[in-house]
DNA sequence: AATGAATGAGTCTTCATTCAT
DNA sequence: GATGAATGAAGACTCATTCAT
């Protein structure tokens, strides 16, 4: 009877919350529909009333994250009154903070893209690619202006630093020493410093 | 009848190779024993003659990677004639290169530690922790000597940069523009530069 | 498509009936889940909707018998207006009759206690032991009053006569010469006569 | 490496001994060939050199018991210088003692006749039937002479008392209070007393 | 005589999903 | 909107047996 999910939320949200928690904890394939409905305090039939399939649950979690991340990134990237360094710093610190704030969703998002149903996966991958490309372009722009070192391909730089983000869930603990803000600040610092042109 | 695995290897090696490829491609849970034995050109019973369980297959892959990585890292870390920067650079470039050289094994290793059978997992995690701690200590040492910036916790620095390593498999393609050596060099460069003390 | 089981019973009962028949006929280990569901006219998934495992099916059959036998025995044993001889006679005749009336269940019960899951087995054995002890005490009491011969240990006497009961299924045929009542009467007669004190 | 079987016996006997012990302990179906060869300190191929199949092992155990029991019973039954009561007493005491002396074989013999391969089973059943019929005839003869009560069918009497024999293995312990001789004596006593004509 | 690698049919069980109510 | 009984395909694993050496 243990309810890991707030009982006052609408049924659909309870299901999403339970699914996100369980997928993050043990993985998508290792979580059964039975476990999700039990955690959400709903029956099997109930789940299928709101979601077409187990895949649909996963898709919903992805959509939620993707929409939010794209919007926030674009907002900051559009702030042309800031330097490229400042914008990269702000974007990365922000995505780290919001990922920690929604750690279950974020980990599901980062680690199970390949499990999405093919057609949904294509869409998510496309939007994700655009996200990365926009960041890559910021880096490339800085490399042309001399603000950033230019001896490392911009795309690789983005891959590199987003790797760190994707693994947050394996070591970050909300009750640990560091706040989300601090981690965001540290990560962003490492990112921009790694792009500093050599002194010579 | 499609054989994705060299037919001249001993059966046990064919199985390990097939398992590694498939686990890396679609994940452990998403790969069935049937798929593995078909890829290896062996029967189901044959697999269970060499491995006690699907978990044992995963464990064998982990052991192979773990042993190699620890040995290589220690060798370089012990080279006290090199500066800390040089050693960190060499270690990271090396682990990147060897991970790319054994990309399937490496991705399985990095992404499915949590799926290992409990007792095996404990052992792997312990050795992995020692590995990280040794690297963290190198960073901390450099922070004390002033060789590295000291405003970011050493442990977080290690988590950060190994995140990039863990995600290699999601974007690196052997037939792409960059060789393993180049990626190793770039990654190591980003790592050591990110630790450069501020100029002020 | 051969249905050996009444089609009008609830699914759970059909499964129990089919399992009992097959376990009695060929043994627990020699009966497959597939055979049970085919005999019950149900699908495999259906069985697992009602029973957690093949063991659970066996346990359910045991519980049914155990509960009935204990209740009936206690009722008769409590009838202190009857002599010990009369009570032993009545108890044994009754258990023989009810075992024949539920011959499949009874044979499964008597012959496969050792196959029960450990924790269930412990409970069943404990209750069975109390059952035997109560009967043994009736015999011992009669040995002290002189109603029964006292040159043979009471516990051995019970083991002896219940052996006969346990093997009923190997020779009794409902369509044979003897009714359940007759067998019960004969068995009880042999039991009480074997306890008669010697004439000297 | 635990060898439960005397190492100095010929291989064939080691295998029979190991099989008998394991079949008696956990049942035929629950014992695997692997367990037998490990207990006997032999390889799988070795077993199949001496026995055609798992069934053949079981058959060999049955043959051993059957041959012995028939011979001993006939010897005593032929002793026409003894009364029917004396002969029945002697036969039953003897079969109890020899069953205890070879308890594993005996339990396998009594409890797994139905698992024999069909053609072997037919032969064993036929011989077993003759064995029972000869005993039944002794009882019937005594019923005609008035030495035994005649209100209970002779065949049922035999079924009854051999039931006790078949269950010996479930409660008899070699290290318990009673010797094989004592149990044989007690059992035979219960048998002949149960056949005593009524006093009236 | 003996080995042990290899087979393949068969076992129990899980699970996402459907549908009559 | 919601239930939960029922489905059937698929899963990991076991095991008696064979056969080249």
């Amino acid at each position: 009877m243990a309810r890991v999910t707030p009982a006052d939320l609408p049924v659909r949200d309870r299901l999403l919350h339970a699914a996100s928690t369980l997928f993050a904890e043990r993985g998508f394939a290792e979580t059964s529909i039975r476990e999700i409905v039990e955690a959400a305090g709903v029956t099997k039939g109930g789940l299928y009333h709101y979601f077409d399939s187990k895949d649909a649950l996963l898709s919903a979690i992805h959509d939620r994250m993707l929409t939010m991340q794209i919007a926030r990134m674009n907002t900051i990237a559009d702030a042309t009154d800031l330097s490229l360094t400042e914008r990269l710093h702000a974007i990365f610190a922000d995505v780290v903070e919001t990922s920690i704030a929604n750690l279950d969703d974020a980990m599901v998002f980062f680690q199970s893209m390949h499990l999405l149903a093919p057609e949904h996966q294509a869409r998510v991958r496309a939007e994700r690619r655009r996200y990365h490309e926009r960041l890559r372009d910021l880096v490339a722009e800085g490399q042309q202006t001399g603000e950033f070192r230019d001896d490392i391909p911009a795309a690789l730089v983005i891959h590199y630093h987003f790797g760190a983000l994707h693994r947050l869930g394996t070591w970050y603990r909300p009750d640990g020493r560091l706040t989300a803000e601090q981690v965001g600040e540290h990560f962003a610092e490492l990112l921009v410093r790694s792009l500093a042109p050599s002194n010579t």
Side-chain angles (χ1 to χ4, degrees), chain A residues 42-189:
Chain A
V42 170
T43 61
K44 261 189 223 186
L47 184 151
Y48 280 94
H49 182 71
Y50 289 104
F51 297 94
D52 285 347
S53 65
K54 194 185 176 187
D55 283 319
L57 266 171
L58 186 60
S59 297
I61 294 170
H62 272 81
D63 286 342
R64 216 159 54 168
M65 277 305 284
L66 195 57
T67 306
M68 180 179 72
Q69 288 196 347
I70 290 174
R72 299 183 72 99
M73 187 271 279
N74 281 332
T75 302
I76 306 178
D78 288 342
T80 45
D81 54 322
L82 300 177
S83 73
L84 291 167
T85 300
E86 287 167 330
R87 277 185 270 168
L88 267 184
H89 190 293
I91 288 170
F92 202 50
D94 183 72
V95 74
V96 168
E97 280 181 53
T98 57
S99 292
I100 289 180
N102 305 279
L103 199 51
D104 288 339
D105 275 16
M107 289 312 108
V108 173
F109 180 62
F110 293 141
Q111 315 250 352
S112 52
M113 207 170 298
H114 65 291
L115 297 173
L116 288 170
E119 76 281 5
H120 199 83
Q121 185 170 168
R123 232 202 45 221
V124 171
R125 279 192 192 285
E127 300 210 51
R128 194 70 191 156
R129 194 175 321 113
R130 271 203 296 284
Y131 182 100
H132 275 202
E133 283 167 358
R134 172 122 210 221
L135 289 173
R136 182 203 60 195
D137 292 346
L138 289 182
V139 170
E141 191 183 340
Q143 291 180 321
Q144 278 164 352
T145 65
E147 199 170 335
F148 299 143
R149 67 192 295 176
D150 64 358
D151 57 342
I152 298 178
L156 182 144
V157 170
I158 297 302
H159 281 310
Y160 185 86
H161 293 286
F162 273 78
L165 179 64
H166 287 191
R167 303 289 298 180
L168 258 179
T170 63
W171 62 269
Y172 182 80
R173 294 292 164 260
D175 53 353
R177 250 188 296 281
L178 297 167
T179 65
E181 288 75 22
Q182 289 173 312
V183 176
E185 187 59 29
H186 289 324
F187 271 33
E189 258 303 310

